[in-house]
Amino acid sequence: GRSSIWGACPFFHNEITMSDSPDPLVSENPYAETAPVEAQVVGQSGFNSGCVIAPLLGLAFVGLLVCGGIVVGITLPAVQAAREAARRMSCSNNMKQIGLALHNYHSAYNQLPPAYSVDENGNKLHSWRVAILPFMGQNALYQQIDLSKPWDAPENTVVASTAVSAYACPSKVGDPLMTSYVAVVDPSGMFEGAISTKFGQATDGLASTILFVETEHQNEVHWMSPEDIDMQTLLELSEDDSHQGGGHIVFGDGAVKFITNSIEVGLLEALVTKDGGEDIVGR
């Protein structure tokens, strides 16, 4: 497969204070003898502050609820979008690191690792992701692997239960041992199967040839597993994207690009082939 409005609702709080000290004007009132009678009359028919304050407090509380709801409604989608943008950037960096490791492997051995290693009977053993571990700062982990045994053999249980953070998209959920970073295994692509290829075979140009991709959640595999995806699976675009609207692709030159799931299927197929001679300029 294949991507802030900060609201603030100001509230103002008016504090009403009452003094316990007597009013000096009242104490000097020459008609002090009649004051209790007048006070009693006022108390019966005058202004009652409690009758006004209570509705005002109620209105303020309602305003708080309404404004608070508006703030949450505005900020929550913005926060979620910002978090996904950060995860998408982190995912891109993971794929850059993997692409660099593939280039360093090619520099060391003058070829890319095969999509998977096999035993003498042609049975699949380990993924290309295992082969590049020493070039990703994971040589200690690599040294623990029995490469003569399948990835899920008892001898490799400890390593198989170890997650490699660079192989996990930050947007993925579930098992951290699973990866969505896969090769497109096809005779026309950069990963043909058990046969190694060289960058020089990409006569279409490394900038126009896919090295590996980020697939949908449903196609995730264990990072050690010698399984990836084929051309047909790649072209069956779905809505189960690792990121909203699509996913990342790493090209032969190391560039990481985000490809939407609305990409033309024919163009996507042409990008996989390393020597198809397709004209993709302007498409």
Side-chain angles (χ1 to χ4, degrees), residues 204-226:
D204 287 347
L206 291 177
S208 302
T209 304
I210 290 175
L211 190 54
F212 68 97
V213 304
E214 179 182 19
T215 191
E216 294 90 347
H217 295 300
Q218 64 191 24
N219 296 322
E220 291 178 346
V221 298
H222 189 286
W223 70 266
M224 290 184 71
S225 172

Side-chain angles (χ1 to χ4, degrees), residues 32 56 146 257:
L56 287 178
D146 187 341
K257 297 182 181 179

Side-chain angles (χ1 to χ4, degrees), residues 18 47 56 59 88 96 102 110 171 214 232 256 273 277:
M18 299 184 67
F47 178 77
L56 287 178
L59 290 175
R88 181 168 150 179
K96 286 180 182 178
L102 284 167
N110 196 33
S171 291
E214 179 182 19
Q232 181 178 352
V256 181
T273 61

Side-chain angles (χ1 to χ4, degrees), residues 27-263:
S27 62
E28 297 177 0
N29 186 354
Y31 305 101
E33 294 182 358
T34 59
V37 177
E38 294 177 357
Q40 183 178 7
V41 174
V42 172
Q44 292 176 352
S45 61
F47 178 77
N48 190 335
S49 60
C51 293
V52 176
I53 293 176
L56 287 178
L57 290 176
L59 290 175
F61 180 71
V62 172
L64 175 63
L65 293 178
V66 173
C67 255
I70 293 175
V71 170
V72 172
I74 292 176
T75 60
L76 185 57
V79 170
Q80 291 174 336
R83 288 176 177 172
E84 172 54 24
R87 289 191 291 263
R88 181 168 150 179
M89 178 63 70
S90 181
C91 176
S92 174
N93 290 335
N94 283 348
M95 298 184 75
K96 286 180 182 178
Q97 182 181 351
I98 297 170
L100 179 60
L102 284 167
H103 271 262
N104 289 336
Y105 183 101
H106 191 283
S107 296
Y109 301 109
N110 196 33
Q111 63 183 14
L112 289 169
Y116 48 82
S117 60
V118 296
D119 62 17
E120 57 186 9
N121 298 316
N123 299 312
K124 296 180 181 180
L125 297 176
H126 296 275
S127 165
W128 60 273
R129 290 173 292 270
V130 170
I132 64 172
L133 284 176
F135 301 92
M136 296 185 64
Q138 296 288 344
N139 189 58
L141 186 64
Y142 180 77
Q143 294 299 326
Q144 300 178 49
I145 303 173
D146 187 341
L147 297 174
S148 67
K149 299 292 196 309
W151 72 275
D152 54 354
E155 293 84 353
N156 291 319
T157 299
V158 173
V159 178
S161 61
T162 303
V164 178
S165 60
Y167 286 152
C169 172
S171 291
K172 75 179 296 294
V173 294
D175 193 345
L177 298 173
M178 304 295 283
T179 183
S180 55
Y181 305 148
V182 296
V184 182
V185 182
D186 189 89
S188 67
M190 294 303 297
F191 286 91
E192 297 186 9
I195 304 173
S196 297
T197 61
K198 299 181 179 182
F199 284 138
Q201 295 175 242
T203 57
D204 287 347
L206 291 177
S208 302
T209 304
I210 290 175
L211 190 54
F212 68 97
V213 304
E214 179 182 19
T215 191
E216 294 90 347
H217 295 300
Q218 64 191 24
N219 296 322
E220 291 178 346
V221 298
H222 189 286
W223 70 266
M224 290 184 71
S225 172
E227 301 298 330
D228 288 271
I229 63 172
D230 55 19
M231 179 78 82
Q232 181 178 352
T233 302
L234 176 70
L235 301 181
E236 292 174 351
L237 306 178
S238 75
E239 297 300 322
D240 186 30
D241 303 305
S242 295
H243 305 280
Q244 184 176 4
H248 295 98
I249 286 179
V250 177
F251 288 85
D253 62 352
V256 181
K257 297 182 181 179
F258 188 85
I259 303 297
T260 66
N261 54 22
S262 61
I263 185 174

